[in-house]
Amino acid sequence: MDNNQIKKADLIKMKSVALSVLGVAVICFFIGFHYKIGWLKAFSEAAMVGGIADWFAVVALFKHPLGIPIPHTALIPNNKDAIGQNLGTFVSDEFLIKEKLEVKLDEFDFATKATNWLKEEKNAATISSLVVENVIPGVLKTIDDANVKKFIQQQFEIKLKQLNFGEWIAIGLESLSKDDKQAQLITNVLTILAAELEANKKEIREKVKNATPWYTLGVADKKIADGVFNGLYEFLDMAKQHDSSIRKKINLYVLNFIEELKNSPEMQQKITTMIIEFTQKEEVQDYIGSIWQELKQAVLADLEKGEESEIKLNLTNMIRNFGSNIQNDVIIVKVNNFIKIDLLGVLLRNKKAIGDLIATSVQSWDKKEIADKLELEVGKDLQFIRINGTVVGGIVGLVIYFVEQLM
């Protein structure tokens, strides 16, 4: 049974009690009339008058008594527009006052109540459950994957354009040039080149053979190839020597390249453009775009773990920590003042609109609907008026009877 059904049952019960009291008065009247009991007849007559009069008054608030359209009855439904307007004006003028609102907001101490509530693990878990079970899945379902993929790719390109890769490379190479790392790096590169040269002898000989004229009949192929190999080996061996002229030229080239990277916007732009062009390749773009899909699948897989979800556990701890961390007197005061100032500002700036909203809401209700709603809320208490009217009327009638007897 919901709340309205309980109220309706209580109202019916109280109406029955009031009617029963009036019924007792009617019975007493017939007894007094039949047996000529003056005081009982006087008591019951006045009780019936009082009970019926108050029944009429109570019923007249909500409807026409017995369905008869007597003037000045069904007061609430017939005057609902005026009631709504007066109620809206009363609330805005009497309740939405700065001084009264400030006192109530200070007494409420929203920040302390909120932080105490958030600190409780059960409450934090309730919020996190709501987020992971409804908010996150709902958001993921409404997101267009293609748009997200495009957005990530665009943002990635924008961020790349903001970075000066040339300057970064220059700084990295400069740090290498200040110690033996550059020399070791060059030696390693030369060693790798020599190893690759040896590993690709056959392919190089084939290229030499294909490049020589046919009329040499292959006689010069081997000599030419061996000459190429020997020259390259000799060059690489000389370059490996730290005091060789080739090594010095390589070092000088590296230093000049570093300086150009540091000081030439054109060179820096070329490096950045080259990297951005690389990222524009379809394979790279697909990989960048797949980041969202992988992230989405990881989130959904974690949410399926229920109570073991890392997202939910971390969110719960974050909410609890938030509640604990802001429980500082200074922060509490700041939060309360912030809420008070903002809320006061909103309420005071819109007090007329709030009053108009109340008035408009009441005016939009159906006449019977507003009568039924109000009777359901206050009708139970109004039945005591009928009971009191019956009892008090009887007592007054009794007093009048004895006064008449004494006179």
Side-chain angles (χ1 to χ4, degrees), residues 93-379:
D93 291 347
E94 298 298 327
F95 288 96
L96 300 182
I97 300 173
K98 183 178 180 181
E99 293 74 16
K100 290 184 178 180
L101 289 172
E102 282 182 338
V103 172
K104 291 299 179 184
L105 290 174
D106 287 336
E107 290 176 353
F108 186 70
D109 191 7
F110 174 83
T112 300
K113 287 182 172 64
T115 53
N116 286 335
W117 191 85
L118 290 174
K119 281 198 312 180
E120 296 293 330
E121 184 173 0
K122 180 180 71 174
N123 298 329
T126 299
I127 297 175
S128 61
S129 295
L130 177 66
V131 173
V132 302
E133 292 173 9
N134 298 290
V135 179
I136 296 178
V139 171
L140 292 178
K141 286 180 181 178
T142 57
I143 291 176
D144 188 318
D145 292 343
N147 289 337
V148 175
K149 180 179 178 180
K150 184 178 180 181
F151 175 78
I152 293 174
Q153 291 168 341
Q154 290 174 342
Q155 292 302 309
F156 186 76
E157 182 177 343
I158 291 171
K159 294 300 180 183
L160 285 181
K161 289 180 179 179
Q162 294 174 351
L163 300 176
N164 192 336
F165 290 100
E167 187 177 7
W168 285 11
I169 294 173
I171 293 172
L173 292 175
E174 189 174 35
S175 65
L176 291 175
S177 66
K178 292 180 180 178
D179 51 32
D180 294 336
K181 290 182 180 179
Q182 177 180 323
Q184 185 61 46
L185 179 62
I186 294 174
T187 300
N188 292 340
V189 171
L190 294 172
T191 302
I192 293 172
L193 288 174
E196 288 299 312
L197 185 62
E198 183 66 27
N200 294 279
K201 263 187 176 183
K202 184 177 179 180
E203 288 80 1
I204 295 174
R205 279 179 174 153
E206 285 295 324
K207 290 184 179 296
V208 172
K209 181 180 178 180
N210 294 332
T212 55
W214 62 270
Y215 53 80
T216 62
L217 303 176
V219 175
D221 293 351
K222 187 175 184 304
K223 288 186 177 182
I224 294 174
D226 289 341
V228 171
F229 283 126
N230 292 334
L232 289 173
Y233 284 140
E234 184 178 349
F235 176 83
L236 293 174
D237 286 337
M238 289 178 61
K240 289 180 183 179
Q241 304 299 319
H242 290 283
D243 57 349
S244 68
S245 59
I246 296 174
R247 174 60 73 93
K248 290 178 181 177
K249 288 180 180 179
I250 293 174
N251 287 335
L252 181 60
Y253 173 80
V254 172
L255 290 174
N256 290 337
F257 180 72
I258 292 172
E259 285 301 315
E260 189 173 7
L261 275 181
K262 286 172 60 178
N263 302 311
S264 171
E266 294 80 6
M267 179 64 75
Q268 293 173 359
Q269 185 59 45
K270 285 181 181 179
I271 297 293
T272 301
T273 301
M274 182 178 65
I275 292 174
I276 292 175
E277 287 176 352
F278 171 76
T279 62
Q280 295 301 315
K281 291 185 176 181
E282 185 178 352
E283 298 84 353
V284 179
Q285 286 291 302
D286 288 342
Y287 173 75
I288 296 171
S290 68
I291 293 174
W292 161 247
Q293 201 62 36
E294 292 176 5
L295 177 61
K296 180 179 177 180
Q297 293 301 325
V299 170
L300 291 174
D302 181 77
L303 296 182
E304 289 177 357
K305 296 178 182 179
E307 295 300 321
E308 301 300 321
S309 167
E310 290 293 330
I311 295 176
K312 181 177 180 180
L313 293 174
N314 289 330
L315 184 59
T316 300
N317 290 331
M318 183 180 72
I319 293 171
R320 291 186 65 196
N321 291 335
F322 175 77
S324 299
N325 292 337
I326 66 173
Q327 277 205 325
N328 175 286
D329 290 340
V330 176
I331 297 178
I332 290 291
V333 171
K334 287 184 177 180
V335 171
N336 279 334
N337 285 338
F338 175 78
I339 294 172
K340 183 170 74 173
I341 292 171
D342 274 27
L343 188 57
L344 275 176
V346 171
L347 291 174
L348 294 176
R349 284 195 302 272
N350 297 281
K351 59 184 299 184
K352 185 178 184 304
I354 295 171
D356 291 343
L357 175 63
I358 295 172
T360 304
S361 298
V362 174
Q363 291 167 3
S364 67
W365 292 348
D366 179 76
K367 289 184 176 183
K368 185 176 184 306
E369 179 186 5
I370 189 173
D372 291 342
K373 283 184 178 181
L374 290 176
E375 185 177 18
L376 205 59
E377 294 298 327
V378 301

